[in-house]
Amino acid sequence: MSFSRSRRRFAGLVAVAALAVSGLTACGTETAETTSEQSTSTTQAAALTFTDITGRNISLPAAPERILLGEGRSVFATGILDKSNPLDKVVGIGTDLKDNVPDYMAQLEQTNPEVKDLPEVGGFMKGDVTVENLLSLKPDIILLSLDEYQASEKTGLIDSMEKAGLTYAVTDFRAKPLENTTRSMEIFGTVFGKEKEAAAFNKDWQETVDLVKGRSAKLKDEDKPTAFVWRAAGLSDCCQTWNDSNISQLVNVAGGKNIGDAVIEGESGAMTPEKVISDNPDEIFATGGEWSAKRNKEGNPVGYAALGYRISDEDAQVSVNNLPKGQKGFDTLSAVKGGQLHGLWHQFYNSPFNYLALLQIAAWLHPEDYSDIDVPAEWMKAQEKYSPVSGEGVFFSTSTPAGE
């Protein structure tokens, strides 16, 4: 009897133990499965996918920590996202910032001295970038401008980058600024993990563009002045311009008629001085910069519209007044005689701040419609809000009418 009770007690203990083991096993399985699901969920959350300007689908296993700026002037965009630390996560940069915007570079070296130690990869447009150099910086992603991408396709560099396993994405502030600026800022926001900052800038950008479009929509065709965009005036042989792209696109949207549209077949090209004189545009917009170090073919200093971060009011005025003297026959143009020759900072052509160029062009074309807006003041507000460097300098100028 006693033995039977012991056997029953023992059997019960075995059963309880079995249930306990079973429960532990099940719990362990659930924990493992939960951990696995959480791990998968975390991996999926960390993965980054987006579409670039060319329509390419970009996929990264995680948010990038090492970003290479093929276009050095992309710092205009990264500064908008983080004005105190525009070089965060940047491991390399193109040489175009130092070569083409020395005034901005000098300012940036003061506010963010680490830029002086940032590795330079060369210029994608110049064709001196090597895959080996890119690989040495171990970028998670390379950001290219549209023209860099197109130029690198022709040279075979893109093919070499893809074979080497380098991931890249394409943005555009230059070719079609009104179509691609906000999308490009979204891409920068996604890559740098600054989506909210990109959205805030895009809101400001869109409000200004919509304002100009709204006012231009009320204009009759005969009320739209003809205009010539003189690209990098004095820096190269006359007369480089654009066909309804870049700055010329801004002219058309601001309520003007870009004369280059009827002459230039591609995105950009040249009009002869004779053609410009023959067309005799109502307004001329000459792009300029801080180009004191530039030289012509003979090694002499070039004449140009002095504009930028280190330019004084006096230098800007003298240079825009002297600009027509460097081109035979331009002193006969109505725009020159009437003080309708304007200087515009060249880098607006490759910057998210292009909306301010649009606003100023509209004000030049239709001053009576924009008497309520002080564009230089708007520039200073934007720089205070969105730039790592001070906006002091001259970025817009207008020639003095003949005889004054």
Side-chain angles (χ1 to χ4, degrees):
M1 178 74 72
S2 177
F3 179 73
S4 296
R5 284 197 299 269
S6 296
R7 287 185 61 185
R8 286 196 297 270
R9 187 180 299 113
F10 177 76
L13 290 172
V14 170
V16 170
L19 286 171
V21 171
S22 175
L24 287 172
T25 302
C27 181
T29 301
E30 286 181 10
T31 302
E33 289 176 352
T34 301
T35 302
S36 177
E37 288 175 1
Q38 290 175 342
S39 177
T40 301
S41 176
T42 301
T43 301
Q44 289 173 344
L48 192 69
T49 60
F50 62 92
T51 303
D52 75 3
I53 287 299
T54 68
R56 297 171 55 254
N57 293 320
I58 313 300
S59 181
L60 293 168
E65 293 296 328
R66 300 180 61 80
I67 303 167
L68 194 153
L69 302 178
E71 177 89 51
R73 283 166 287 189
S74 294
V75 173
F76 297 153
T78 63
I80 289 170
L81 301 178
D82 188 346
K83 60 177 291 185
S84 64
N85 193 9
L87 302 174
D88 183 38
K89 300 180 182 180
V90 176
V91 297
I93 195 169
T95 55
D96 60 282
L97 180 65
K98 179 179 71 177
D99 292 346
N100 298 325
V101 204
D103 50 326
Y104 180 89
M105 184 66 170
Q107 296 286 89
L108 191 63
E109 287 176 349
Q110 295 296 316
T111 59
N112 299 85
E114 64 271 21
V115 70
K116 292 184 284 188
D117 300 321
L118 198 61
E120 294 182 339
V121 298
F124 282 83
M125 295 298 293
K126 291 181 178 179
D128 59 359
V129 176
T130 67
V131 170
E132 291 74 20
N133 195 9
L134 297 177
L135 287 170
S136 71
L137 296 175
K138 301 178 181 179
D140 295 322
I141 190 168
I142 301 170
L143 293 177
L144 299 175
S145 64
L146 181 60
D147 56 342
E148 285 182 327
Y149 169 68
Q150 292 170 339
S152 298
E153 269 195 317
K154 293 178 180 178
T155 63
L157 178 61
I158 289 296
D159 184 56
S160 298
M161 287 169 57
E162 291 176 348
K163 289 179 179 177
L166 289 165
T167 300
Y168 64 91
V170 183
T171 62
D172 174 47
F173 298 111
R174 183 179 295 165
K176 292 295 180 183
L178 297 180
E179 291 86 347
N180 291 338
T181 292
T182 54
R183 178 66 195 120
S184 293
M185 283 305 301
E186 287 174 357
I187 292 171
F188 272 94
T190 297
V191 170
F192 281 88
K194 299 284 185 178
E195 293 90 342
K196 290 182 179 179
E197 290 80 357
F201 173 81
N202 282 349
K203 182 177 181 293
D204 288 349
W205 185 97
Q206 195 65 59
E207 285 178 356
T208 298
V209 172
D210 288 346
L211 180 147
V212 173
K213 286 183 175 180
R215 295 185 182 186
S216 296
K218 299 175 183 178
L219 297 170
K220 296 178 180 179
D221 191 64
E222 58 266 25
D223 294 331
K224 296 180 179 180
T226 58
F228 169 59
V229 179
W230 193 358
R231 177 181 178 179
L235 199 62
S236 58
D237 293 338
C238 191
C239 300
Q240 296 295 315
T241 190
W242 289 281
N243 169 16
D244 194 30
S245 64
N246 211 291
I247 301 296
S248 292
Q249 183 188 45
L250 304 185
V251 169
N252 290 332
V253 172
K257 296 178 181 178
N258 177 52
I259 65 173
D261 294 354
V263 180
I264 308 301
E265 293 184 1
E267 176 186 320
S268 62
M271 291 179 64
T272 64
E274 295 77 15
K275 178 60 176 172
V276 176
I277 294 171
S278 173
D279 284 0
N280 195 23
D282 299 315
E283 308 273 345
I284 298 176
F285 306 120
T287 68
E290 202 294 89
W291 293 331
S292 57
K294 300 290 185 181
R295 296 292 182 269
N296 61 19
K297 296 176 182 177
E298 290 73 37
N300 300 317
V302 297
Y304 60 93
L307 295 160
Y309 288 92
R310 295 188 300 192
I311 304 300
S312 68
D313 290 334
E314 181 181 359
D315 287 344
Q317 191 64 61
V318 170
S319 67
V320 75
N321 286 344
N322 288 336
L323 201 57
K325 298 177 182 179
Q327 187 55 56
K328 183 179 179 180
F330 271 32
D331 58 338
T332 67
L333 292 169
S334 298
V336 172
K337 291 179 179 180
Q340 300 303 114
L341 166 61
H342 310 283
L344 184 72
W345 187 48
H346 185 72
Q347 299 309 322
F348 281 123
Y349 92 130
N350 193 28
S351 164
F353 294 112
N354 49 37
Y355 71 104
L356 294 169
L358 172 70
L359 187 61
Q360 181 61 78
I361 290 170
W364 280 329
L365 291 169
H366 305 283
E368 67 285 353
D369 293 338
Y370 290 86
S371 59
D372 60 324
I373 298 175
D374 182 346
V375 183
E378 292 300 316
W379 160 263
M380 290 301 294
K381 290 178 184 177
Q383 297 307 288
E384 176 69 23
K385 188 175 183 180
Y386 291 122
S387 177
V389 306
S390 168
E392 297 292 336
V394 182
F395 301 86
F396 315 100
S397 62
T398 295
S399 64
T400 304
E404 293 188 12

